[in-house]
């Protein structure tokens, strides 16, 4: 939730990063970057016996400066995007989609800087001795994606928002080598508010999907209830009555035929029963089969399984 007093909040001694402090840090980091560029140029001309150690020290300092520059720029961009978003949300009663898309562009700009230091716009000569000098600030990437996903959700682009929140979780796992499942975050990830909120969003979406699938299934079951009631009645009468009813009223799509033993006086051999069971397995349906037919085969398979337990399980013991 956007805090309209963010300027004052950011200055107080809280867990939030101080924007004023980051502005000061950016000025210092920019000066340090310029000095590092000159130092790198001198090192190329100098003849120092222990050049390897000097390069290593230069690289270590450059890495720290790079981190401050990259994180500071991304945080300030996020603050600007959040302020613009607040203005949009407090504006006219009519929804301004164009302004929301502009806010999205601001978040994307911050995301590019978080993903690639080169996008920050600094002179890269100072960072020649830094491993992966165009590196990413993964935590800032996650925060940018999380904010962007929230905007997409607010403008009703639910699927895009869901994908972004899931990307936040997958990328966030890389912050902790002990993390391998976003549904069970480690202590480090539980401390990241953006991670836990993205996790909650994805979880709610999954629960909504499951509820919709369940409601759709119940509706389809109601549609085929007369057929299921007739199948149930035949099953409760006898095994042979059940099989005769199936092959007469719902012949298998794979062209399977009822076993001769079904219409004979003798018992149905187990092998024949299993062959008929396979005729009605949902996997035997063509790819173009309607959801109604798939559901019918699923319910028929349940009856087959119950009958197998009653009639043939003892033979396997």
């Amino acid at each position: 939730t956007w805090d309209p007093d963010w300027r004052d909040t950011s200055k107080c001694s809280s867990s939030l990063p101080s924007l004023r402090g980051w502005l000061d840090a950016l000025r210092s980091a920019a000066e340090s970057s310029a000095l590092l560029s000159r130092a790198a140029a001198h090192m190329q001309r100098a003849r120092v016996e222990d050049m390897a150690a000097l390069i290593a020290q230069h690289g270590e300092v450059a890495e720290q400066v790079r981190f401050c520059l990259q994180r500071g720029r991304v945080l300030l961009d996020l603050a600007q995007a959040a302020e613009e978003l607040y203005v949009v949300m407090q504006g006219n009663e009519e929804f301004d989609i164009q302004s929301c898309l502009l806010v999205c562009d601001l978040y994307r700009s911050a995301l590019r800087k978080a993903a690639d230091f080169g996008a920050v716009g600094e002179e890269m000569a100072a960072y020649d001795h830094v491993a992966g000098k165009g590196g990413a600030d993964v935590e800032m990437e996650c925060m940018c994606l999380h904010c962007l996903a929230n905007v997409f959700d607010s403008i009703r682009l639910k699927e895009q928002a869901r994908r972004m929140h899931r990307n936040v979780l997958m990328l966030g796992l890389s912050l902790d080598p002990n993390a391998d499942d976003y549904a069970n975050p480690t202590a480090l990830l539980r401390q990241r508010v953006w991670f836990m909120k993205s996790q909650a969003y994805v979880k709610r979406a999954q629960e909504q999907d499951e509820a919709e699938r369940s409601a759709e299934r119940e509706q389809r079951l109601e549609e085929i209830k007369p057929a299921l009631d007739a199948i149930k009645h035949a099953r409760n009468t006898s095994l042979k009555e059940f099989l005769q009813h199936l092959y007469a009223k719902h012949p298998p799509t794979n062209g399977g035929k009822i076993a001769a033993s079904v219409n004979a006086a003798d018992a149905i051999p187990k092998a024949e029963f299993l062959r008929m069971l396979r005729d009605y397995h949902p996997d035997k349906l063509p790819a173009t089969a309607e959801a109604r037919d798939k559901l019918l085969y699923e319910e028929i398979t349940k009856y087959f399984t119950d009958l197998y337990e009653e009639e043939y399980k003892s033979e396997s013991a």
Side-chain angles (χ1 to χ4, degrees):
T1 302
W2 176 246
D3 178 7
D5 300 320
W6 66 272
R7 292 184 180 84
D8 294 331
T9 303
S10 66
K11 297 175 187 176
C12 70
S13 56
S14 69
S15 59
L16 295 173
S18 169
L19 294 179
R20 175 178 289 178
W22 275 108
L23 284 169
D24 293 339
L26 279 173
R27 282 191 287 270
S28 298
E31 294 171 2
S32 299
S33 185
L35 293 173
L36 284 168
S37 294
R38 290 200 290 270
H42 285 307
M43 284 194 298
Q44 290 178 353
R45 296 191 297 268
R47 295 185 179 182
V48 181
E49 294 181 1
D50 196 12
M51 181 60 75
L54 185 58
I55 289 175
Q57 292 174 9
H58 179 276
E60 183 178 342
V61 174
E63 172 60 30
Q64 296 174 20
V65 173
R66 184 188 74 170
F67 173 82
C68 288
L69 280 171
Q70 188 172 17
R71 180 154 293 198
R73 292 286 173 81
V74 174
L75 281 171
L76 291 175
D77 282 1
L78 284 176
Q80 180 188 359
E83 185 174 45
E84 291 296 328
L85 180 61
Y86 175 71
V87 172
V88 171
M89 294 304 180
Q90 297 298 315
N92 298 328
E93 290 186 5
E94 289 189 12
F95 184 70
D96 189 349
I97 184 65
Q98 189 62 36
S99 295
C100 280
L101 293 177
L102 291 175
V103 171
C104 289
D105 288 340
L106 291 174
Y107 279 124
R108 287 194 182 97
S109 176
L111 177 60
R112 284 193 294 273
K113 292 175 184 177
D116 180 10
F117 177 64
V120 173
E122 287 296 317
E123 171 59 49
M124 298 300 289
Y127 306 95
D128 286 340
H129 304 300
V130 177
K133 63 179 181 179
D137 186 334
V138 175
E139 185 159 6
M140 289 294 100
E141 276 191 89
C142 291
M143 290 181 66
C144 293
L145 271 174
H146 175 82
C147 293
L148 189 56
N150 287 338
V151 178
F152 271 65
D153 179 69
S154 69
I155 58 179
R156 301 296 185 266
L157 296 175
K158 300 293 185 180
E159 285 301 316
Q160 293 90 327
R162 180 176 178 174
R163 285 197 297 271
M164 286 184 186
H165 277 300
R166 190 173 187 280
N167 288 341
V168 168
L169 299 177
M170 300 306 294
L171 188 59
L173 291 177
S174 65
L175 293 174
D176 188 346
N178 297 315
D180 57 8
D181 180 7
Y182 64 73
N184 296 294
T186 59
L188 184 148
L189 293 176
R190 287 197 297 272
Q191 294 172 359
R192 274 35 181 198
V193 175
W194 51 264
F195 187 93
M196 299 308 296
K197 287 187 175 181
S198 283
Q199 183 204 49
Y201 187 97
V202 171
K203 183 179 179 181
R204 285 195 303 272
Q206 291 172 339
E207 290 172 346
Q208 183 177 354
D209 286 348
E210 182 59 34
E212 290 175 356
R213 283 194 295 268
S214 179
E216 185 179 358
R217 178 182 174 83
E218 290 301 319
Q219 180 180 350
R220 287 179 176 153
L221 282 173
E222 188 63 29
E223 292 172 0
I224 62 174
K225 187 176 184 301
L228 292 177
D229 286 344
I231 292 171
K232 181 179 180 181
H233 176 76
R235 180 257 183 272
N236 291 338
T237 301
S238 70
L239 170 58
K240 290 187 176 183
E241 181 71 21
F242 168 73
L243 294 169
Q244 289 167 350
H245 178 84
L246 284 185
Y247 279 85
K249 300 296 185 181
H250 309 285
T253 58
N254 68 347
K257 303 298 182 183
I258 191 169
S261 57
V262 175
N263 297 313
D266 296 335
I268 302 171
K270 178 180 176 180
E272 289 294 327
F273 177 85
L274 292 176
R275 194 267 300 166
M276 289 184 285
L277 183 155
R278 288 191 293 272
D279 284 345
Y280 286 94
H281 194 281
D283 290 346
K284 297 297 182 181
L285 285 167
T288 56
E290 295 183 2
R292 175 186 178 281
D293 294 327
K294 292 179 182 178
L295 185 56
L296 180 64
Y297 268 50
E298 287 174 6
E299 295 301 308
I300 290 173
T301 298
K302 291 178 183 178
Y303 284 122
F304 265 107
T305 302
D306 290 342
L307 285 165
Y308 176 79
E309 293 288 332
E310 294 176 10
E311 302 287 340
Y312 299 99
K313 191 64 178 286
S314 60
E315 296 180 18
S316 303

